[in-house]
Amino acid sequence: MPKFQEAWLSTAIDLSLPSAYVTAMAKLPIITLPDPILRTQSSPIERVDDETRRLIDDMLETMYAAPGVGLAAIQVAVPKRLLVVDTSDKDEPKRPIAMINPEIVQLGQTTRVYEEGCLSIPDVLVDIERPATVTVRYVDRDGKAQELNADGLLATAVQHEIDHLDGKLIIDFLSRLKRDMVVRRFKKQSRTM
Ligand code: NI
């Protein structure tokens, strides 16, 4: 079964980004379950400015360091409709994509099951069936309207991250019993920390 893990299981951290880029960015703490902020409905970004671009850079830095292939702003406690993804393989050049106010305009007919993980829910994997292809409209870091046709891992990653913007998590695809078990485990962990 193909896997989409927001967090790669490998602990290798790739620092192959140009150094000037790295030093300008800051790693942000990632919010994890059971923090209720993850259930926030994020609001649209009205103006793409330097502050937005800085947040994008910080989110990319945070995602690459995790390491992960996707991150939504709400996962770093910013309730704005913004996500970053990069589904390139480790030995490929990086392909960072930042989507501001992403909207799904079309979902493919066929579906595909990926085993998904989430940086906000460490060590939990859920088999999720989603449309195998997706067309997304969004605004890029320069404030320009863009449209992307995604398939494979990228299609799954984009749908996973857009779910975050609506406060939806991978555990919502589980039965209520299993979901409650996961939530209880994270509540217990957060009490002992
Ligand atoms: Ni996630």
Side-chain angles (χ1 to χ4, degrees), residues 4 6-7 38 70-72 75 116-121 160-161 164 168-170:
F4 160 65
E6 201 175 54
L38 290 169
L71 190 71
Q75 292 179 277
E116 301 185 25
C118 181
L119 292 174
S120 294
I121 315 172
H160 174 120
E161 302 310 332
H164 274 298
K168 189 169 181 184
L169 300 169
I170 54 171

Side-chain angles (χ1 to χ4, degrees), residues 14 114 117 149 192:
D14 186 348
Y114 268 99
N149 295 306
T192 56

Side-chain angles (χ1 to χ4, degrees), residues 7-82:
W8 295 117
L9 292 181
S10 150
T11 52
I13 293 172
D14 186 348
L15 292 174
S16 61
L17 285 165
S19 58
Y21 198 48
V22 168
T23 51
M25 299 193 287
K27 224 179 88 185
L28 305 166
I30 296 175
I31 305 288
T32 55
L33 218 63
D35 196 320
I37 201 170
L38 290 169
R39 294 306 192 175
T40 309
Q41 176 78 25
S42 294
S43 33
I45 290 179
E46 278 163 27
R47 208 163 60 96
V48 181
D49 53 18
D50 286 345
E51 197 188 323
T52 314
R53 282 182 281 272
R54 195 200 159 114
L55 176 59
I56 289 170
D57 289 342
D58 288 349
M59 284 171 59
L60 284 168
E61 166 89 345
T62 305
M63 179 186 78
Y64 288 130
V69 299
L71 190 71
I74 194 63
Q75 292 179 277
V76 292
V78 179
K80 295 285 176 195
R81 301 191 79 80
L82 165 64

